Amino acid sequence: MRNFSLLDNILNEIDQSLRVVHATAPTTERPNPANGVQESAPLNEDERDMISRLMRINHTGEVSAQGLYRGQALTAKREDIRVQMERAAMEENDHLNWTDKRLQELGGRKSLLNPLFYWGSFTIGAIAGKVGDKWSLGFVKETEDQVIKHLEEHINQLPAHALTDMAILQKMKADEMHHGDVAMQAGGAKLPFLARKLLMPLMSKVMTKSTYYV
Ligand SMILES: [Fe+2]
Ligand SMILES: [Fe+2]
């Protein structure tokens, strides 16, 4: 087994980031929840436009999740946590691909801000991993809670016949709940009040508001 130098790691991470933003990244064996699901009535133009914006937000959310998990995996101290982070990152890649595919079907486009959100999240993840595993796991839980909140908002905005989008978002929501639970079971600490109530919701707002348009 070869030991990776800092430069190896940096190059590996740059490679990974380019794949997340521009190509298909490694995924799990799980099927797309939209397979075989069809709208019960066709989407009109306004609905397509609105849903493609929601999918763009979700896609960027998954780009950020990649950055976060990769950053944490790089600096996590406990081996079991690093492995867990890598599995979660692969599941987030499923989400990334599902939302990417759906975005294409709807004729939408990905956010131009994706590289910015990837590297911003990567940096935060790497710092959280450095500060200590219990905080980085607590951070996962808090991040997932924010994602669940905006997924719920999106689910509520979907027209009742948008069954394809419903299937994708529901499955993502279930996965994010699982990621949050696993992080706490692995020893995650509850983040300080200000981080939970101010900082994290603010970061989530910035991401969801900007990528609705850009
Ligand atoms: Fe996700
Ligand atoms: Fe997740």
Side-chain angles (χ1 to χ4, degrees):
M1 243 325 239
R2 122 161 229 229
N3 266 330
F4 290 110
S5 69
L6 178 63
L7 184 64
D8 289 329
N9 277 328
I10 291 171
L11 291 176
N12 185 25
E13 291 308 326
I14 290 173
D15 171 67
Q16 185 73 21
S17 75
L18 290 172
R19 282 199 279 167
V20 165
V21 176
H22 299 289
T24 311
T27 52
T28 72
E29 64 298 331
R30 307 180 309 159
N32 188 327
N35 284 353
V37 181
Q38 261 195 336
E39 280 96 37
S40 52
L43 300 171
N44 67 36
E45 206 167 307
D46 286 347
E47 288 168 341
R48 286 179 90 83
D49 178 62
M50 188 268 284
I51 297 173
S52 75
R53 286 168 190 268
L54 299 185
M55 280 297 162
R56 178 158 74 227
I57 295 172
N58 292 319
H59 181 266
T60 300
E62 298 304 329
V63 167
S64 309
Q66 281 305 312
L68 185 65
Y69 280 109
R70 297 291 310 181
Q72 288 180 327
L74 192 69
T75 53
K77 289 171 194 71
R78 266 168 51 194
E79 175 66 12
D80 57 329
I81 290 178
R82 201 183 53 71
V83 170
Q84 193 183 308
M85 298 284 178
E86 278 173 357
R87 171 70 195 184
M90 275 172 75
E91 293 187 0
E92 304 296 4
N93 263 337
D94 291 345
H95 299 172
L96 192 70
N97 289 339
W98 301 340
T99 50
D100 184 354
K101 177 163 180 281
R102 189 59 188 147
L103 203 49
Q104 284 178 35
E105 287 167 2
L106 291 166
R109 59 161 181 82
K110 299 183 201 179
S111 172
L112 301 171
L113 303 175
N114 282 345
L116 193 75
F117 281 109
Y118 183 91
W119 286 109
S121 305
F122 183 91
T123 307
I124 294 171
I127 292 170
K130 261 272 179 272
V131 172
D133 287 331
K134 75 171 181 172
W135 296 114
S136 106
L137 290 167
F139 189 66
V140 167
K141 163 73 176 155
E142 208 44 53
T143 305
E144 297 291 8
D145 282 356
Q146 294 298 329
V147 176
I148 291 164
K149 224 177 274 170
H150 84 236
L151 284 172
E152 276 168 353
E153 283 168 20
H154 291 183
I155 289 168
N156 289 335
Q157 286 177 61
L158 288 179
H161 52 280
L163 299 179
T164 310
D165 303 284
M166 192 71 80
I168 296 171
L169 298 188
Q170 293 282 15
K171 174 65 183 145
M172 281 169 55
K173 184 183 156 195
D175 285 349
E176 313 303 16
M177 290 175 87
H178 176 67
H179 293 158
D181 290 347
V182 168
M184 290 313 268
Q185 282 157 17
K190 202 171 179 182
L191 295 192
F193 183 81
L194 276 182
R196 274 184 292 121
K197 297 294 172 200
L198 199 72
L199 217 57
M200 300 292 292
L202 182 71
M203 275 170 32
S204 171
K205 270 268 159 336
V206 169
M207 192 280 275
T208 53
K209 294 287 172 215
S210 62
T211 52
Y212 188 81
Y213 300 101
V214 187

